[in-house]
Amino acid sequence: MDGVRPTRHGRSGFLAPQAVVTAEQRVRAVTNLLVDAAGGTAIGAINSGVVLLALALHIGASTVEVGLLASIPLITQVLQAPAVKLVERVRRRRLISVTSLFLARLALPLYASVPFIPDRDFATGVLLAAALLHYGLNAVAACSWNSWIRDLIPADVLGRFTARRTLVGTAVSAGATITAAFALEQAETSARLGNMIFSGLYLLGFCCGLLSIVALARVPEPMMGPAGPPASLGKLLWQPLKDRNFRNILRYLASWQFAVNLATPFFTVYIVRELGFGMSFVLCLTLASQVANVLVVRGWGQLSDRFTNKSVIAAATPLFIFSIAGMAFASELAEGTPRAAYLFLLHIVMGAAGAGVGLASGNIVMKMSPEGSATSYMATNALVGAVAAGVAPIIGGWTADFFSRRRLELNLEWKSPTGVDELIGVAFSHWEFFFLFSAAMGLYTLHRLSAIEEPGAVAPREIAQHVFSSARRTLRNASSVAGLRLAVSFPAGDLIRSRGRRRFLLEPVYEGAGAGRYEADQRAVGTLLQSAFEEQGQTTEFDEMLAKLR
């Protein structure tokens, strides 16, 4: 098995780290990590989220219990705090990750037994206990996994690797979601058949989990750097807080996690109970969101590598925020096709925007973590985010009854001698208040984002220009109208404005290539530009542009 090498003490052991990881081993590691992603996301699709909530409703769980179940995957992330000390002491991150994941996935057979427990209260207790076991040990594994992969994957390809892993995982998740949607539709026909279907879904997830663990065990682990002086857990978690820029990152991520998780965990309850759709429809919405994610995640990864993670977040966040606010207006649409189409549109936009926010926010934390201290930085981030995300659905659950008995109406009327005409009438109640408040909190996160400093930051407007330029070039090449091609050719103004970004954009390309190659390419580009100007009789304009660049 890859990775079984002598340790730094000269002894070999099970899943031991390596002093040297070769380039060939790194390539094989990427393949195994993709298999791990496929198995892990299959579990997420058929055993978590909507399916887990459907299981809770199937056994008759109360609204309070559903709220608690929604908070468990979030609040258990605080276990990454003691996991830091475990990693620092054991110093075998692969062993910790593989062992924790194996124990966590033993909870899946427990889920499978829940439908067959006759006592409702006891069945709900087993369900909550299995969720605590599953998500708690997953949190321990995530802490060591993040540090391990941070040292394994080179920083210059981290964005592309993350995008590729996310793409593979999301594609598998989409197929698994279709399977789960069909299964849930059949489960609604009878309670007995539903018991069998839910049990089968969780046993299938257990098999996927075993496949994922085998692949992950074959990924080599670079040996951690020399251990420093012994430090308490508090000091390990306090160290990242001394970094001013990292504190700004934490403020942003905490506010974002709170804003998003205040509303999104209740989308399923809202769509099923308030709007009258079935669980299979909810999973179809999830699939639409995943397809949108698949279609754009590679593009977000490329933008993240070319520009910065902060710029991608600033461009994607408003799309997600407005989609959350849009959920509050779903009940105002006519039932049937119009309402269903509206929900699909919102989920497609959220899937696309969420891909950008998720990819870039994860990358920016890893990028800003100093070499050798990634474990404590990652755990501090997870701890702060878990508290913010875990508290949000609990607050939502506690105040649900308060808003369910109240209603806010906004009416715009036109009064004339012939009578009164209502122009606009909007009413908000129950979960809709949460969607609007969550969107307002999301707008606050943009303010927190502005305080983060990331080298080479590019304004969201310039990312939009990059996307538009790509589309414009496509139109130009496909169009047969010469006048249109001329109208969009040679953006001299953009060239001048991009001078300030020349260092950021070109240095990665020419790094290590020597000054000769850069100067030769620079002269070649200058010659091409001069020829283009001269062909259109704009020699004077070229001289003026050259003077500005100098």
Side-chain angles (χ1 to χ4, degrees):
M1 180 181 294
D2 290 342
V4 181
R5 299 286 190 275
T7 66
R8 62 193 182 98
H9 299 293
R11 299 189 302 269
S12 62
F14 179 65
L15 299 177
Q18 303 175 204
V20 176
V21 179
T22 66
E24 181 181 355
Q25 289 175 324
R26 293 180 193 272
V27 171
R28 291 201 303 268
V30 169
T31 301
N32 284 314
L33 286 171
L34 295 180
V35 174
D36 168 56
T41 51
I43 294 175
I46 62 178
N47 296 151
S48 303
V50 175
V51 178
L52 183 59
L53 178 58
L55 175 59
L57 297 178
H58 178 73
I59 64 173
S62 66
T63 303
V64 174
E65 291 165 342
V66 169
L68 289 174
L69 188 63
S71 68
I72 287 176
L74 306 171
I75 204 66
T76 49
Q77 297 305 304
V78 299
L79 293 177
Q80 292 205 44
V84 175
K85 193 65 177 179
L86 178 65
V87 171
E88 296 289 345
R89 176 172 296 179
V90 178
R91 307 184 69 79
R92 297 178 66 172
R93 296 166 292 186
R94 179 166 59 161
L95 177 63
I96 294 173
S97 294
V98 171
T99 303
S100 298
L101 285 175
F102 176 74
L103 295 176
R105 287 162 185 174
L106 291 179
L108 298 177
L110 289 179
Y111 284 130
S113 68
V114 166
F116 299 102
I117 299 176
D119 184 81
R120 190 204 69 84
D121 292 336
F122 183 65
T124 304
V126 172
L127 179 64
L128 294 174
L132 286 170
L133 174 65
H134 185 201
Y135 292 107
L137 289 175
N138 271 336
V140 175
C143 179
S144 56
W145 187 92
N146 282 326
S147 173
W148 169 17
I149 302 306
R150 170 68 170 78
D151 291 343
L152 179 67
I153 305 298
D156 58 340
V157 298
L158 182 61
R160 290 189 294 272
F161 163 75
T162 305
R164 186 181 175 189
R165 178 179 166 88
T166 304
L167 180 64
V168 171
T170 307
V172 172
S173 180
T177 300
I178 295 176
T179 302
F182 177 78
L184 289 183
E185 186 175 0
Q186 299 301 314
E188 294 174 354
T189 58
S190 71
R192 181 177 180 181
L193 179 60
N195 292 342
M196 299 295 295
I197 288 176
F198 279 111
S199 181
L201 286 175
Y202 281 94
L203 291 177
L204 176 60
F206 181 63
C207 295
C208 293
L210 294 180
L211 175 64
S212 170
I213 290 170
V214 171
L216 189 63
R218 297 181 61 82
V219 177
E221 176 197 355
M223 187 175 293
M224 295 179 66
S232 66
L233 177 61
K235 289 182 178 179
L236 286 173
L237 296 176
W238 183 258
Q239 177 185 357
L241 299 179
K242 297 179 181 179
D243 186 333
R244 181 182 62 83
N245 194 40
F246 196 77
R247 289 200 304 272
N248 291 331
I249 296 175
L250 292 179
R251 291 190 184 102
Y252 160 73
L253 292 176
S255 60
W256 171 257
Q257 289 288 352
F258 181 86
V260 171
N261 288 286
L262 187 68
T264 53
F266 299 101
F267 279 177
T268 298
V269 178
Y270 173 70
I271 293 171
V272 172
R273 292 182 176 175
E274 300 294 329
L275 301 183
F277 292 99
M279 280 291 182
S280 58
F281 177 78
V282 175
L283 275 179
C284 289
L285 294 177
T286 303
L287 176 60
S289 179
Q290 290 172 341
V291 170
N293 190 294
V294 169
L295 293 177
V296 303
V297 68
R298 185 178 295 274
W300 285 124
Q302 292 172 348
L303 290 176
S304 174
D305 288 339
R306 178 170 181 179
F307 297 100
T308 62
N309 298 298
K310 178 181 174 180
S311 303
V312 169
I313 294 173
T317 297
L319 294 176
F320 202 100
I321 293 172
F322 293 140
S323 297
I324 292 178
M327 287 292 295
F329 299 92
S331 60
E332 301 298 323
L333 298 177
E335 296 183 4
T337 302
R339 184 178 292 178
Y342 181 74
L343 291 174
F344 267 104
L345 177 62
L346 289 182
H347 280 76
I348 289 172
V349 175
M350 283 189 287
V357 176
L359 174 71
S361 60
N363 281 351
I364 199 171
V365 173
M366 298 183 76
K367 181 178 179 181
M368 294 304 177
S369 302
E371 193 75 25
S373 301
T375 300
S376 59
Y377 272 68
M378 289 293 176
T380 301
N381 167 68
L383 178 63
V384 173
V387 172
V391 167
I394 295 176
I395 293 176
W398 283 345
T399 56
D401 290 340
F402 175 84
F403 286 111
S404 66
R405 294 187 296 269
R406 287 161 177 82
R407 182 180 179 88
L408 173 66
E409 294 187 2
L410 301 175
N411 296 316
L412 181 61
E413 298 178 342
W414 172 261
K415 293 184 178 181
S416 66
T418 59
V420 178
D421 296 324
E422 182 176 313
L423 301 180
I424 299 176
V426 181
F428 299 105
S429 62
H430 208 186
W431 302 114
E432 295 159 354
F433 284 105
F434 290 99
F435 303 153
L436 294 176
F437 180 68
S438 176
M441 288 295 300
L443 292 176
Y444 171 76
T445 66
L446 293 176
H447 167 69
R448 300 308 326 169
L449 179 64
S450 64
I452 299 175
E453 298 176 2
E454 184 182 10
V458 180
R461 173 181 56 83
E462 301 192 24
I463 292 185
Q465 288 178 346
H466 168 73
V467 175
F468 172 73
S469 297
S470 299
R472 185 177 63 180
R473 284 193 295 270
T474 301
L475 290 174
R476 180 184 64 194
N477 294 335
S479 175
S480 59
V481 181
L484 293 178
R485 290 199 301 267
L486 179 63
V488 296
S489 64
F490 196 70
D494 291 343
L495 176 64
I496 294 173
R497 286 194 296 270
S498 69
R499 179 178 178 242
R501 302 198 313 271
R502 182 176 58 182
R503 175 184 178 86
F504 170 70
L505 292 175
L506 294 184
E507 275 191 350
V509 176
Y510 290 99
E511 183 178 0
R517 176 185 167 189
Y518 176 82
E519 293 174 358
D521 286 357
Q522 195 176 42
R523 287 193 297 270
V525 171
T527 301
L528 290 174
L529 293 178
Q530 184 176 8
S531 299
F533 271 102
E534 290 177 351
E535 287 179 1
Q536 303 199 22
Q538 297 178 341
T539 305
T540 303
E541 287 81 351
F542 176 76
D543 294 338
E544 292 176 355
M545 183 196 70
L546 192 61
K548 290 181 180 180
L549 289 175
R550 289 173 176 170

